[in-house]
């Protein structure tokens, strides 16, 4: 009988022997009344072993076992009296820390559940029959994440947090090789980042070999100022983003020339319809576009992707020029090698600068400003090309944390939740005995 109760309530993990144990259910709440076997102890004051039982005190401990019903341990705790010095003290409580109203098992269960980044404080509270404030108190007490040691390759990026804070965007540093978050700062502004980065020892910062950033001058200046031995690389995704934005603006400019301002897309001109309907042909990788016949409602016919692309590119010469130059850069971005890309990179830069299209000339100027850092993105570390791919994945999970919680009032709590749930090996602070 004892064993059934012990297994049901997950009490075996305390590794103790019970003198008596009994459970009752009252008003959909489980109460477990228990008393421990007496163990030999000594006085904490004088060390004497001549002890007598002074009295018993009931301790009510919340023991969440993820059942449909709340559970409480009613622990009949002995108080001993030392015959030598008359000191009175409790026997060792294996279920909870001193002054703690929740069992250690409950605390571990809550902290384990909060490791899952899709969980919210409210959901965890509901699962373990606690209040949200109790879960928040446990989290704040045991999770205080410290900055992680800087790594060889670091990614810089920002993520939108909330208008509630002084700054809307938080700054995130991630280890490129492990995808671990190194730290999260409340602001991406130069002054605040300088304050934070300057507190990291010079020796640690000087061991960083590569910094991967997007095309934001603040990050470039910070990297040069605080990571003097690091090579700065621009994430190629952001370069392609700017290129796709340029060709999108070119497409829109052509499309607007054929806009009849009709009530429906299908009633508009054929050129407008096709450019609107198949906009993704200009920005998506061609090999990733659906390879089977695509139905065109306005024509009441199906065309394959080769036919659609041929039609789109013959609408206007500027579209054809833009498309093939964009494709040339995309192919270069995919296949270029750091050691041999200089000549082709310079040739592409000149083609954009000399283009008849204003949008591409602006992109050419962008290349001119960032060419060295863009080239550095072709460097490979441990077989992987430098990129902000790891930090983009991290940011996606951060956004999930923010969205599920409907925002955080405390940035410090948000930072701790981000680092704790995404860095799976992040330890507890003042870990309770399990």
């Amino acid at each position: 009988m004892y064993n059934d109760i012990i297994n049901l309530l997950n009490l075996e993990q305390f590794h103790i022997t019970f003198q008596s144990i009994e459970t009752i259910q009252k008003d959909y709440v489980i109460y477990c009344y228990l008393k421990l076997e007496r163990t030999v102890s000594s006085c904490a004051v004088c060390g004497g072993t001549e002890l007598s039982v002074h009295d018993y005190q009931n301790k009510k401990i919340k023991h969440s076992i993820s059942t449909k019903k709340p559970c409480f341990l009613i622990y009949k705790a002995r108080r001993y009296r030392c015959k030598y010095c008359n000191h009175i003290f409790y026997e060792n409580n294996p279920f909870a820390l001193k002054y703690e109203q929740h069992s250690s098992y409950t605390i571990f269960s809550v902290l384990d559940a909060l490791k899952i980044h899709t969980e919210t404080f409210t959901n965890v509270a509901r699962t373990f029959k606690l209040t949200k404030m109790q879960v928040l108190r446990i989290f704040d007490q045991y999770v205080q994440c410290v900055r992680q040691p800087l790594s060889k390759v670091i990614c810089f990026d920002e993520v939108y947090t909330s208008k509630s804070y002084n700054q809307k965007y938080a700054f995130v540093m991630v280890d490129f090789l492990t995808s671990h978050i190194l730290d999260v700062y409340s602001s991406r502004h130069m002054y605040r980042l300088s304050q934070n980065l300057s507190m990291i020892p010079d020796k640690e910062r000087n061991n960083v070999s590569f910094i991967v950033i997007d095309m934001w001058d603040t990050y470039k200046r910070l990297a040069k100022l605080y990571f003097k031995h690091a090579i700065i690389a621009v994430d190629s995704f952001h370069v392609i983003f700017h290129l796709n934005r340029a060709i999108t603006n070119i497409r829109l400019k052509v499309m607007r020339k054929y806009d009849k301002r009709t009530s429906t897309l299908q009633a508009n001109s054929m050129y407008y319809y096709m450019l609107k309907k198949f906009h993704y042909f200009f920005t998506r990788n061609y090999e990733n576009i659906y390879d089977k016949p695509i139905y065109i409602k306005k024509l009441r016919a199906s065309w394959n992707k080769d036919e659609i692309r041929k039609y789109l590119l013959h609408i206007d010469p500027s579209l054809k020029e833009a498309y093939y130059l964009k494709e040339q850069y995309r192919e270069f971005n995919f296949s270029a090698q750091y050691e041999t890309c200089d000549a082709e990179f310079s040739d592409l830069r000149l083609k954009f600068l000399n283009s008849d299209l204003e949008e591409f000339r602006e992109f050419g100027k962008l290349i001119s400003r960032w060419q060295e850092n863009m080239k550095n993105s072709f460097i490979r570390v441990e077989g992987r090309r430098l990129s902000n791919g790891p930090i983009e994945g991290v940011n996606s999970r951060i956004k999930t944390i923010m969205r599920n919680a409907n925002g955080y009032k405390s940035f410090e709590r948000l930072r701790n939740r981000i680092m704790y749930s995404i860095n799976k090996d992040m330890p507890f602070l003042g870990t309770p005995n399990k």
Side-chain angles (χ1 to χ4, degrees):
M1 179 66 178
Y2 279 8
N3 289 336
D4 291 341
I5 297 174
I6 290 170
N7 292 334
L8 175 66
L9 300 182
N10 292 328
L11 297 177
E12 70 278 0
Q13 47 88 32
F14 292 109
H15 305 295
I16 51 179
T17 305
F18 296 95
Q19 188 178 91
S20 64
I21 184 168
E22 181 185 1
T23 60
I24 63 171
Q25 180 177 320
K26 183 178 180 182
D27 297 329
Y28 300 100
V29 178
I30 297 174
Y31 295 93
C32 177
Y33 294 86
L34 48 88
K35 183 178 177 183
L36 304 182
E37 289 282 0
R38 180 172 176 174
T39 57
V40 178
S41 185
S42 60
C43 177
V45 174
C46 69
T49 56
E50 292 291 325
L51 308 173
S52 62
V53 177
H54 177 68
D55 62 10
Y56 292 90
Q57 296 286 331
N58 284 339
K59 292 182 177 293
K60 187 176 181 181
I61 301 169
K62 185 69 177 287
H63 183 60
S64 298
I65 52 176
S66 194
T67 66
K68 293 182 179 180
K69 301 170 185 174
C71 176
F72 290 92
L73 303 180
I74 311 299
Y75 163 43
K76 193 172 184 179
R78 293 182 182 86
R79 288 205 304 167
Y80 291 106
R81 180 190 293 274
C82 176
K83 293 183 178 180
Y84 294 105
C85 66
N86 221 31
H87 176 62
I88 299 174
F89 59 96
Y90 278 102
E91 67 181 349
N92 179 52
N93 180 356
F95 304 108
L97 298 177
K98 192 174 182 180
Y99 307 123
E100 184 62 72
Q101 295 181 338
H102 302 93
S103 68
S104 298
Y105 179 83
T106 299
I107 293 172
F108 269 96
S109 298
V110 168
L111 294 174
D112 282 346
L114 290 172
K115 273 288 184 186
I116 303 171
H117 77 279
T118 54
E119 282 286 4
T120 66
F121 294 115
T122 301
N123 285 343
V124 172
R126 187 180 300 116
T127 298
F128 294 103
K129 307 301 180 292
L130 303 171
T131 67
K132 181 181 176 181
M133 291 307 299
Q134 288 174 326
V135 172
L136 288 173
R137 186 183 63 80
I138 290 171
F139 181 80
D140 290 343
Q141 181 177 349
Y142 292 104
V143 180
Q144 295 291 324
C145 298
V146 298
R147 178 185 64 82
Q148 300 300 287
L150 299 184
S151 56
K152 179 182 178 181
V153 188
I154 297 176
C155 300
F156 286 0
D157 204 359
E158 68 280 341
V159 63
Y160 179 80
T161 50
S162 172
K163 294 179 181 179
S164 302
Y165 310 127
N166 292 331
Q167 306 296 333
K168 292 191 294 184
Y169 290 90
F171 173 80
V172 185
M173 280 197 301
V174 168
D175 183 342
F176 169 78
L177 296 174
T178 65
S179 296
H180 268 49
I181 298 179
L182 304 178
D183 211 342
V184 182
Y185 301 144
S186 62
S187 170
R188 62 171 180 172
H189 286 184
M190 182 79 178
Y191 173 72
R192 294 293 298 277
L193 291 178
S194 295
Q195 285 182 317
N196 289 311
L197 294 176
S198 63
M199 295 175 66
I200 302 175
D202 290 347
K203 183 178 179 181
E204 192 175 350
R205 286 190 273 112
N206 290 338
N207 287 331
V208 177
S209 301
F210 302 95
I211 301 286
V212 187
I213 63 174
D214 58 22
M215 302 175 89
W216 200 38
D217 285 317
T218 295
Y219 292 163
K220 186 176 181 179
R221 294 200 304 272
L222 282 166
K224 285 184 175 180
L225 184 61
Y226 293 103
F227 301 90
K228 298 184 184 299
H229 302 292
I231 294 172
I232 304 169
V234 164
D235 176 39
S236 64
F237 170 83
H238 287 86
V239 179
I240 296 299
F241 169 80
H242 285 283
L243 180 58
N244 283 341
R245 187 168 66 178
I247 197 170
T248 295
N249 289 336
I250 294 168
R251 176 186 63 83
L252 291 173
K253 187 182 292 185
V254 173
M255 189 177 77
R256 291 187 189 108
K257 294 193 301 186
Y258 302 102
D259 187 2
K260 292 184 177 180
R261 301 186 182 279
T262 56
S263 59
T264 63
L265 175 61
Q266 193 169 348
N268 215 314
S269 70
M270 188 63 190
Y271 286 165
Y272 185 93
Y273 175 89
M274 293 296 285
L275 289 170
K276 182 84 170 178
K277 187 76 173 177
F278 298 105
H279 60 90
Y280 56 89
F281 270 70
F282 293 92
T283 54
R284 191 179 298 177
N285 293 345
Y286 189 67
E287 55 271 21
N288 293 337
I289 296 176
Y290 188 61
D291 220 6
K292 294 182 179 180
I294 301 171
Y295 183 73
I296 304 172
K297 190 174 181 180
K298 189 173 176 66
L299 293 175
R300 296 182 182 178
S302 295
W303 287 4
N304 60 44
K305 66 179 183 180
D306 288 340
E307 292 172 316
I308 295 173
R309 180 173 67 171
K310 182 178 179 181
Y311 184 92
L312 293 172
L313 298 186
H314 279 80
I315 292 175
D316 191 284
S318 62
L319 285 175
K320 190 171 185 178
E321 175 193 344
Y323 179 84
Y324 284 114
L325 184 52
K326 185 269 297 186
E327 285 295 294
Q328 190 177 349
Y329 184 88
R330 188 180 70 84
E331 179 60 31
F332 165 78
N333 180 65
F334 177 75
S335 61
Q337 300 294 318
Y338 176 78
E339 296 78 9
T340 59
C341 69
D342 285 323
E344 187 177 0
F345 205 174
S346 296
D347 179 60
L348 279 168
R349 180 178 64 84
L350 290 174
K351 285 183 177 179
F352 281 105
L353 285 172
N354 296 324
S355 173
D356 294 331
L357 303 168
E358 179 185 356
E359 293 82 0
F360 272 10
R361 291 196 299 273
E362 290 299 318
F363 183 74
K365 294 176 184 177
L366 195 69
I367 294 178
S368 298
R369 291 203 310 272
W370 294 89
Q371 184 169 347
E372 179 185 354
N373 307 116
M374 290 166 68
K375 176 190 171 183
N376 290 339
S377 74
F378 295 112
I379 296 173
R380 293 183 175 272
V381 178
E382 297 187 11
R384 294 168 55 193
R385 180 181 171 183
L386 294 179
S387 76
N388 262 351
I391 206 168
E392 294 297 338
V394 165
N395 283 348
S396 176
R397 281 175 279 172
I398 292 175
K399 290 173 184 176
T400 300
I401 291 172
M402 291 290 299
R403 182 174 60 253
N404 288 351
N406 197 24
Y408 279 70
K409 292 181 180 179
S410 164
F411 178 79
E412 189 61 28
R413 181 179 288 155
L414 171 62
R415 175 186 173 277
N416 285 329
R417 182 68 205 282
I418 289 170
M419 295 186 68
Y420 177 73
S421 60
I422 295 179
N423 293 353
K424 297 303 181 184
D425 57 352
M426 190 64 71
F428 307 144
L429 179 69
T431 309
N433 296 321
K434 193 170 183 179

